[in-house]
């Protein structure tokens, strides 16, 4: 196919056609011209696929198409890949919502899961542990340990996201496994909100001193309330009300 001359190029054609009359219209258009750009587009393609996969995984779990044991490791794996890929694209992708808008992606379940940063099995209690005394004691002990570890970490002025987020994730998982602990327990909601806050930050970022003070205050309150609930003080309050 012969390249068009300037006289043959329509007025509405892109400018490059007029400036480059010898342009071969059969030539393949490349997205990149160097390895750095190629890596960027490869990473963007990976991010796109991770988002779509997470959406399907969340829906499969909601519809009981997969078990909790199958869902949890797959979800955790996708969250880890998402974090890594977003780090690779830190110079190109501002945030998840912008990327999805640019590429016409609608995956609300995936957005919610990435926003929280832990599998749904960590976020919500799955199964019934009330009949297993050994497991019950284990989860209570783990919850207390994670509360103390988190508060000690904050008191030592260690505010990095990659230090605090894993402790919060372990804490909410343990709390959800404690039998008889109400889903309305405020401590769960506080932990969940802090998970969302930290997950919106980079792993190398640090929370401010004000945030650290607030988190320490809320976790100390939640820890005390957790002890009161386990000791049965809440029943006394309810009976006297």
């Amino acid at each position: 196919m012969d390249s068009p001359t300037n006289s043959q190029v329509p007025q509405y054609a892109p400018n490059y056609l007029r400036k480059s009359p010898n342009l071969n219209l059969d030539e393949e258009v490349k997205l990149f011209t160097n390895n750095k750009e190629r890596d960027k587009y490869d990473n963007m393609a990976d991010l796109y696929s991770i988002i779509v996969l997470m959406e399907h995984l969340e829906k499969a779990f909601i519809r009981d198409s997969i078990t909790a044991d199958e869902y949890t490791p797959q979800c955790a794996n996708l969250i880890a890949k998402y974090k890594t890929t977003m780090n690779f694209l830190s110079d190109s992708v501002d945030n998840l919502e912008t990327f999805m808008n640019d590429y016409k992606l609608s995956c609300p379940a995936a957005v919610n899961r990435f926003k929280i940063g832990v599998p749904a099995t960590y976020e919500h209690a799955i199964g019934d542990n009330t009949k297993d005394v050994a497991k019950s004691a284990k989860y209570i002990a783990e919850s207390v340990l994670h509360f103390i570890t988190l508060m000690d970490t904050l008191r030592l002025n260690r505010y990095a996201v990659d230090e605090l987020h894993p402790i919060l994730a372990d804490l909410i998982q343990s709390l959800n496994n404690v039998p008889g602990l109400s889903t309305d327990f405020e401590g769960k909601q506080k932990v969940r909100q802090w998970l969302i806050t930290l997950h919106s930050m980079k792993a190398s970022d640090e929370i401010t001193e004000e945030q650290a003070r607030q988190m320490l205050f809320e976790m100390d309150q939640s820890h005390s309330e957790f002890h009161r609930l386990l000791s049965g003080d809440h029943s006394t309050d309810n009976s006297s009300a």
Side-chain angles (χ1 to χ4, degrees):
M1 179 178 178
D2 296 332
S3 299
T5 63
N6 280 335
S7 60
Q8 295 173 321
V9 176
Q11 291 296 320
Y12 55 80
N15 289 332
Y16 66 79
L17 286 179
R18 300 191 189 91
K19 295 179 180 179
S20 306
N22 296 323
L23 179 68
N24 183 1
L25 297 181
D26 291 329
E27 184 179 352
E28 179 184 0
V29 177
K30 294 184 178 180
L31 292 174
F32 51 85
T33 56
N34 54 57
N35 288 336
K36 183 178 180 180
E37 289 183 355
R38 178 178 180 174
D39 287 342
K40 182 185 77 171
Y41 284 109
D42 283 345
N43 289 329
M44 291 174 75
D46 289 339
L47 178 59
Y48 189 102
S49 64
I50 289 169
I51 295 170
V52 174
L53 281 171
M54 180 62 85
E55 182 74 10
H56 287 298
L57 182 65
E58 289 292 299
K59 289 182 177 179
F61 180 60
I62 292 171
R63 295 166 181 166
D64 290 329
S65 299
I66 57 174
T67 65
D69 290 339
E70 292 172 325
Y71 162 83
T72 302
Q74 293 295 331
C75 184
N77 185 39
L78 285 176
I79 290 173
K81 288 182 177 180
Y82 165 77
K83 291 179 180 178
T84 302
T85 306
M86 286 296 284
N87 285 336
F88 289 156
L89 292 169
S90 58
D91 295 334
S92 307
V93 178
D94 292 332
N95 54 64
L96 179 60
E97 287 78 9
T98 300
F99 178 83
M100 293 179 65
N101 287 335
D102 289 344
Y103 293 96
K104 312 302 180 188
L105 262 177
S106 178
C107 299
V111 171
N112 180 65
R113 188 54 47 215
F114 289 134
K115 183 178 180 182
I116 296 171
V118 294
T121 45
Y122 289 16
E123 185 186 4
H124 307 289
I126 303 294
D128 183 9
N129 299 314
T130 56
K131 297 180 181 179
D132 194 325
V133 177
K135 282 188 176 181
S136 175
K138 172 190 173 185
Y139 294 133
I140 291 172
E142 285 182 350
S143 298
V144 172
L145 175 63
H146 295 319
F147 266 124
I148 294 173
T149 302
L150 178 58
M151 291 188 290
D152 285 347
T153 301
L154 292 168
R155 290 188 179 108
L156 291 172
N157 299 325
R158 292 160 62 180
Y159 301 157
V161 171
D162 57 359
E163 285 198 65
L164 298 174
H165 191 281
I167 305 174
L168 285 165
D170 289 339
L171 175 56
I172 198 168
Q173 183 182 16
S174 296
L175 288 173
N176 282 326
N177 285 324
V178 174
L181 187 62
S182 172
T183 55
D184 296 330
F185 173 50
E186 190 175 1
K188 288 184 182 180
Q189 305 305 320
K190 296 294 185 183
V191 173
R192 185 176 183 274
Q193 287 302 316
W194 280 113
L195 277 170
I196 293 173
T197 298
L198 295 187
H199 198 68
S200 66
M201 303 166 65
K202 295 180 181 178
S204 58
D205 288 344
E206 293 189 353
I207 60 174
T208 64
E209 288 190 14
E210 183 179 356
Q211 287 177 310
R213 186 172 180 178
Q214 183 65 30
M215 186 189 295
L216 180 57
F217 174 74
E218 291 178 357
M219 292 304 104
D220 189 34
Q221 278 193 324
S222 299
H223 183 220
S224 299
E225 180 64 17
F226 182 64
H227 270 291
R228 284 195 292 271
L229 291 173
L230 292 177
S231 63
D233 286 354
H234 62 293
S235 59
T236 303
D237 295 339
N238 291 337
S239 61
S240 61

